[in-house]
Amino acid sequence: ELKNNGAPRPGDIDWPRALSASCEQKAVSMGRSSDLCTDIDGAPIGLSFPELECVVLELLTNAFQSSRPGDAVKVCGKTGPDGYELRVCDEGVGLDEAGLEDANSRPLGHGTACGFGLALVRYILRKHGASIARDHSHAGVTCLKVTLPLR
């Protein structure tokens, strides 16, 4: 029986390497390759690779758009106490609590292009029992933390 419409799950491929490569391609396409740092550990997570890639690339695009060339943007992931923790951090103006809450509560398809992307991220995450929140542990940095279930 094929699950996820046959899409490969992160456990089926070297997904940290593939995700890092996708992030690097996005950075190059946005002229920000020297600003990107990735540090992604592997773990058995409960999303397909295309869904995971969609979530991360949307958050990464927002991070590049809200920061200036030369500002560091970091994508990191590791297993935490509540599941797999994936963070996208930047030194730009970022998304404040109201903006994140608005994106979390808005019906899919309503709002700006950026809001639509965050609504899509929210839809994918909720479908899998995952969450997104602003991480306040990094002073002077906007950091969004996605917590994914382990499988």
Side-chain angles (χ1 to χ4, degrees), residues 6-79:
R9 289 188 130 351
D12 300 334
I13 60 172
D14 183 358
W15 69 265
R17 187 173 172 182
L19 188 60
S20 291
S22 293
C23 290
E24 290 166 15
Q25 288 174 351
K26 175 57 76 176
V28 167
S29 75
M30 297 185 77
R32 301 286 301 273
S33 59
S34 63
D35 299 337
L36 177 67
C37 176
T38 60
D39 183 13
I40 303 170
D41 295 340
I45 60 175
L47 273 76
S48 70
F49 181 75
E51 289 173 313
L52 175 65
E53 184 180 45
C54 177
V55 167
V56 172
L57 293 182
E58 178 61 35
L59 296 178
L60 182 61
T61 298
N62 289 346
F64 283 137
Q65 290 174 342
S66 67
S67 61
R68 296 179 307 257
D71 290 344
V73 175
K74 185 169 186 177
V75 178
C76 57
K78 65 180 180 174
T79 302

Side-chain angles (χ1 to χ4, degrees), residues 47-122:
L47 273 76
S48 70
F49 181 75
E51 289 173 313
L52 175 65
E53 184 180 45
C54 177
V55 167
V56 172
L57 293 182
E58 178 61 35
L59 296 178
L60 182 61
T61 298
N62 289 346
F64 283 137
Q65 290 174 342
S66 67
S67 61
R68 296 179 307 257
D71 290 344
V73 175
K74 185 169 186 177
V75 178
C76 57
K78 65 180 180 174
T79 302
D82 298 321
Y84 189 82
E85 297 175 354
L86 194 115
R87 288 177 173 79
V88 179
C89 305
D90 69 79
E91 298 172 346
V93 295
L95 186 66
D96 62 14
E97 292 297 332
L100 183 59
E101 184 57 34
D102 182 50
N104 278 330
S105 62
R106 169 185 317 132
L108 187 62
H110 290 80
T112 65
C114 177
F116 182 78
L118 287 174
L120 180 60
V121 164
R122 182 203 72 220

